[in-house]
C-alpha cells in the first residue's frame, strides 16, 4: 500500500493530476470517475487507510442487481484525487478526459475494518452518492489477479433495467452496451484452440520463427530461430490487453508478421524503449540505457546532453524487434534521424493531438495541414497515432539540422492554427488551452524526441496500431483510431500496399518551402505598411 506506484506512473510536470500524499484522516468518501482514456471506463475509489483504493470498471457500476460488473484493481490513489477532473495529456498514463461521475460517502455494512475485508476479498458497503445509493457487494474473483465483481444488493435503491448515463458521449461504449454479455463469452471460448508449448529450457531445440508463430495460441517460453539467431521468448501467454485477452505472444507475433513493413522505419535509428512488463494495465518504465543486450542487438552510445551519453538500441533487424517485444516494449519509437547522420532528421512530424474533439475534426485539421504544406510545395503523408490523434509527416532529405527543421515546423504549425482558429492551438500549457482543442504539436521535431513508427502497436485497449492512411480516407472522415489493430493491420497492408513508403524514399528539401513561407507570412505586413 502507498502511493509509490501512483507517483511512479505519472510525470507531474505533464499531467494535471494531483501529486497528493497519504492522508491521516479517513472520511470514508467514494468517487466514481468517468475516464475517456483510449477506451472509456469508470474508476471506482473508496477512501481507506489514508488512500483511495481503486478499481477500473470497464462498463461502470449498475443499479441493476442482475448486472455484475467486472472491477479490476488499480494502484492506490491519493485522497486529493476525489476532486480531480481534467485532461490527462497524450503520452501520459491514462491520457484522456477524466471527470467525476458520482461522489459521496460510504459506510461498511459488516464490521469496521475495511482493509481487512479488502484483504479477505469481500466488501459490503452502503453508498450515499448522487447517483449511487444503497447496499453494494464487492467480491474478489478466484481467477486472475486483482479482479473483482461489483454488484448492487437488492434493496429499495435497486433498479432492474437501469441504464448508465454518460456525462460525455462515447460511441464505442454505447455500441458495446448494446451487445449482450453472451456473445462476448462465445467469442472468448472460440479463442482457445491449439496451444504451442515447447520445452521450457532454452537448451531445447529452437523452432523456426515462421512455424512457431503459426500456432493459434502461444504459451510459456519458446526458443525461436530468426535471422540466423536464436531468441528466447518468455511468458508468451501473459495477458497484455486484459479487455481483449491479447497476450505478449500476440504482440510478438504481430511484430514478426509486420516486420518487413515496420523495419525500414527503425533501421539505423536509435529507439526509445518503454517497457510494460505486465501489459497495458501495469506500470511501465523507460529504458534508455541498454547494457545487457544479446549480440544481435546493435547499440550505440549517443550524447543526449553535454556529458551524458546513453546506450541506445538501434532497430536494425527483426531479431531486435522481437527481442524488444519480449521485454514488454509495446511501442516502437525511433528517432527522426539515423545513427549514420544523427543531426539531420529525415522527416518533419506534425502531431495533431486532440482533446474533447470528434475524430472528423482532427481529419479537418490534418487536411488543412496538408493544404498549407502543398502551398509550400511539400508533399505530406498521414497516419493515425494509434492513440487519439493524427500524425502528418513531411519526408526530408537529411540536409537540414534539427534546429532548422524545428523552426520550420513551428512556423507551419502557426499557419495551421491561423487557418483553424476555433479548434487548433500551439499552446503547450494544458491549463491555457480551451477544453475542446487540437494541439498542433511541432515540438517533437527535436533531437532525441520521437513519434511512434508507422505500424507500431500502442499500449491502448484494443491493441491499436499507428496506421498509415490514404488522404482520401481522411477526406471521407469515416475512420477512427480503433479501426486499426494488431488483428487487422497485416491484411490492410496487403490490401492497400505500403502507404507510407514515400516517407522513406521521397525526401524533400525545405529551401523552396521556406522562401514561400516567407512570402506568405510577410506579404500582408508589407501591404498594411503601405496603407
Ligand atoms: Mn482510469
Amino acid at each position: 500500500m502507498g502511493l509509490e506506484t501512483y507517483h511512479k506512473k505519472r510525470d507531474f510536470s505533464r499531467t494535471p493530476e494531483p501529486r497528493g500524499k497519504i492522508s491521516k484522516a479517513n472520511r470514508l468518501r467514494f468517487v466514481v470517475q468517468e475516464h475517456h482514456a483510449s477506451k472509456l471506463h469508470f474508476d471506482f475509489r473508496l477512501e481507506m487507510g489514508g488512500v483511495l483504493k481503486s478499481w477500473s470498471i470497464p462498463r461502470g457500476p449498475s443499479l441493476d442487481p442482475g448486472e455484475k460488473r467486472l472491477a479490476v484493481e488499480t494502484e492506490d490513489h491519493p485522497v486529493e484525487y476525489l476532486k480531480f477532473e481534467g485532461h490527462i495529456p497524450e503520452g501520459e498514463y491514462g491520457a484522456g478526459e477524466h471527470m467525476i461521475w458520482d461522489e459521496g460517502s460510504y459506510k461498511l455494512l459488516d464490521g469496521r475494518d475495511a482493509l481487512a475485508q479488502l484483504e479477505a476479498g469481500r466488501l459490503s458497503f452502503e453508498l450515499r452518492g448522487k447517483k449511487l445509493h444503497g447496499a453494494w457487494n464487492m467480491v474478489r474473483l478466484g481467477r486472475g489477479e486483482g479482479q473483482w465483481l461489483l454488484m448492487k444488493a437488492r434493496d429499495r435503491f435497486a433498479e432492474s433495467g437501469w441504464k448508465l448515463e454518460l456525462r460525455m458521449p462515447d460511441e464505442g461504449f454505447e455500441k458495446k452496451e448494446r451487445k449482450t454479455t453472451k456473445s462476448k463469452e462465445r467469442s472468448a471460448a472460440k479463442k482457445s484452440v491449439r496451444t504451442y508449448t515447447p520445452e521450457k529450457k532454452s537448451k531445447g531445440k529452437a523452432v523456426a520463427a515462421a512455424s512457431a508463430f503459426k500456432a493459434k495460441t502461444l504459451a510459456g517460453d519458446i526458443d525461436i530461430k530468426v535471422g540466423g539467431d536464436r531468441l528466447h521468448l518468455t511468458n508468451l501467454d501473459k495477458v497484455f490487453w486484459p479487455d481483449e485477452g491479447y497476450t505478449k505472444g500476440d504482440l510478438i507475433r504481430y511484430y514478426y508478421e509486420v516486420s518487413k513493413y515496420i523495419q525500414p522505419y527503425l533501421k539505423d535509428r536509435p529507439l526509445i524503449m518503454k517497457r510494460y512488463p505486465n501489459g497495458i494495465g501495469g506500470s511501465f518504465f523507460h529504458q534508455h540505457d541498454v547494457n545487457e543486450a544479446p549480440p544481435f542487438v546493435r547499440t550505440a552510445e549517443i550524447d543526449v546532453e553535454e556529458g551524458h551519453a546513453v546506450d541506445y538500441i538501434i532497430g536494425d533487424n527483426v531479431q531486435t524487434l522481437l527481442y524488444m517485444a519480449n521485454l514488454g516494449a509495446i511501442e516502437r519509437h525511433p528517432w527522426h534521424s539515423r545513427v549514420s547522420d544523427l543531426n539531420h532528421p529525415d522527416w518533419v512530424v506534425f502531431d495533431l493531438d486532440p482533446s474533447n474533439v470528434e475524430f472528423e475534426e482532427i481529419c479537418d485539421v490534418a487536411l488543412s495541414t496538408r493544404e498549407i504544406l502543398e502551398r509550400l510545395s511539400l508533399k505530406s503523408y498521414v497516419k493515425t497515432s494509434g492513440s487519439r490523434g493524427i500524425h502528418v509527416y513531411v519526408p526530408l532529405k537529411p540536409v537540414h539540422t534539427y534546429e532548422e527543421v524545428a523552426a520550420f515546423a513551428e512556423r507551419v504549425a502557426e499557419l495551421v492554427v491561423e487557418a483553424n482558429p476555433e479548434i487548433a492551438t500551439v499552446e503547450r500549457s494544458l491549463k491555457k488551452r480551451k477544453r475542446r482543442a487540437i494541439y498542433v504539436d511541432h515540438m517533437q521535431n527535436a533531437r532525441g524526441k520521437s513519434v511512434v513508427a508507422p505500424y507500431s502497436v500502442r499500449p491502448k485497449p484494443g491493441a491499436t496500431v499507428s496506421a498509415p492512411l490514404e488522404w482520401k480516407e481522411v477526406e471521407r472522415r469515416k475512420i477512427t483510431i480503433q479501426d486499426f489493430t494488431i488483428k487487422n493491420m497485416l491484411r490492410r497492408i496487403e490490401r492497400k500496399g505500403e502507404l507510407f513508403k514515400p516517407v522513406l524514399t521521397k525526401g524533400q528539401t525545405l529551401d523552396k518551402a521556406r522562401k514561400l513561407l516567407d512570402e506568405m507570412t510577410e506579404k500582408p505586413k508589407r501591404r498594411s505598411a503601405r496603407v
Side-chain angles (χ1 to χ4, degrees), residues 10 33-37 39 41-43 45 55-56 74 77 81 88 93-94 98:
R10 289 165 178 83
Q33 280 151 326
E34 180 176 324
H35 188 177
H36 293 258
K39 195 168 209 172
H41 62 272
F42 293 79
D43 293 297
R45 312 184 196 281
W55 292 263
S56 164
T74 58
H77 281 51
Y81 218 89
I88 302 171
Y93 180 68
H98 200 96

Side-chain angles (χ1 to χ4, degrees), residues 92-121:
E92 287 307 294
Y93 180 68
E97 208 58 36
H98 200 96
M99 58 194 82
I100 296 171
W101 183 83
D102 194 22
E103 58 187 333
S105 62
Y106 77 97
K107 193 178 95 182
L108 286 181
L109 290 174
D110 304 308
R112 283 186 173 184
D113 192 346
L115 289 169
Q117 293 178 23
L118 189 79
E119 187 67 29

Side-chain angles (χ1 to χ4, degrees), residues 12 22 72 81 133 135 245 267 279 293 307 312 325 357 374-375 407 427 468:
F12 293 100
I22 293 179
V72 182
Y81 218 89
H133 309 272
K267 198 171 165 42
Y312 277 93
V357 161
E374 258 167 15
R375 274 156 51 201
E427 175 56 61

Side-chain angles (χ1 to χ4, degrees), residues 209-210 213-215 218 249-262 318 321-322 486-491 493-494:
F213 291 122
K214 267 189 200 133
L218 297 157
D250 293 326
L251 174 73
I252 302 175
R253 186 205 325 262
Y254 167 79
Y255 275 126
Y256 176 72
E257 287 171 348
V258 298
S259 58
K260 129 173 150 193
Y261 305 111
I262 191 174
V318 196
L321 181 69
L322 304 187
I486 59 169
K487 293 293 169 181
N488 61 25
M489 196 63 221
L490 192 67
R491 250 177 294 139
I493 303 170
E494 284 160 1

Side-chain angles (χ1 to χ4, degrees), residues 127-391:
L127 294 180
R128 294 171 192 162
K130 295 181 186 107
K131 294 179 175 129
L132 303 179
H133 309 272
W136 296 75
N137 294 307
M138 277 189 93
V139 287
R140 189 191 285 128
L141 295 171
R143 66 179 156 100
E145 270 192 330
Q147 299 200 355
W148 295 64
L149 285 179
L150 173 70
M151 297 159 284
K152 178 78 194 76
R154 292 184 192 277
D155 60 13
R156 68 192 172 93
F157 297 106
E159 197 183 316
S160 74
W162 179 87
K163 280 259 166 309
L164 185 148
E165 269 176 42
L166 291 172
R167 285 191 52 192
M168 195 175 117
D170 182 283
E171 213 212 330
F173 180 78
E174 274 130 29
K175 255 190 227 154
K176 196 174 159 194
E177 281 300 277
R178 270 178 248 132
K179 275 197 227 155
T180 66
T181 329
K182 254 191 196 132
S183 74
K184 227 180 174 184
E185 278 161 10
R186 223 180 294 133
S187 68
K190 236 193 294 170
K191 256 188 251 160
S192 59
V193 190
R194 189 156 53 102
T195 306
Y196 188 77
T197 320
E199 48 284 298
K200 290 259 183 251
K201 295 265 166 60
S202 57
K203 281 174 203 137
K205 209 174 145 246
V207 187
S211 66
F213 291 122
K214 267 189 200 133
K216 276 258 160 53
T217 311
L218 297 157
D221 296 2
I222 66 173
D223 277 39
I224 58 165
K225 276 181 292 187
V226 58
D229 289 300
R230 184 189 180 111
L231 195 50
H232 184 56
L233 305 176
T234 54
N235 297 317
L236 294 176
D237 43 358
K238 189 179 248 184
V239 173
F240 264 34
W241 281 268
D243 285 352
E244 295 78 14
Y246 299 159
T247 61
K248 186 166 129 184
D250 293 326
L251 174 73
I252 302 175
R253 186 205 325 262
Y254 167 79
Y255 275 126
Y256 176 72
E257 287 171 348
V258 298
S259 58
K260 129 173 150 193
Y261 305 111
I262 191 174
Q263 218 29 67
Y265 303 92
L266 309 178
K267 198 171 165 42
D268 200 30
R269 292 176 198 274
L271 302 179
I272 290 162
M273 184 149 71
K274 196 169 168 183
R275 292 174 61 182
Y276 294 78
N278 295 307
I280 69 165
S283 56
F284 63 80
F285 59 98
H286 279 281
Q287 185 176 353
H288 281 285
D289 227 347
V290 186
N291 31 37
E292 277 176 29
F296 53 77
V297 174
R298 182 178 155 210
T299 61
E301 194 181 282
I302 298 172
D303 284 320
V304 280
E305 297 155 36
E306 315 81 57
H308 182 54
V310 155
D311 269 325
Y312 277 93
I313 281 190
I314 310 303
D316 274 355
N317 49 35
V318 196
Q319 296 93 300
T320 303
L321 181 69
L322 304 187
Y323 165 76
M324 289 175 75
N326 188 58
L327 290 178
I330 293 173
E331 299 170 302
R332 291 300 167 273
H333 271 281
W335 276 36
H336 308 308
S337 56
R338 298 164 202 245
V339 183
S340 50
D341 190 1
L342 270 181
N343 294 320
H344 299 100
D346 302 290
W347 52 63
V348 192
V349 193
F350 298 93
D351 177 3
L352 308 179
D353 179 20
S355 22
N356 307 307
V357 161
E358 298 295 320
F359 202 75
E360 293 100 88
E361 294 177 272
I362 313 165
C363 291
D364 289 339
V365 175
L367 292 166
S368 162
T369 307
R370 173 183 66 164
E371 196 199 306
I372 288 161
L373 291 165
E374 258 167 15
R375 274 156 51 201
L376 299 174
S377 79
L378 292 170
K379 273 202 132 140
S380 59
Y381 300 85
V382 64
K383 66 183 178 71
T384 64
S385 71
S387 170
R388 288 193 309 185
I390 279 185
H391 296 151

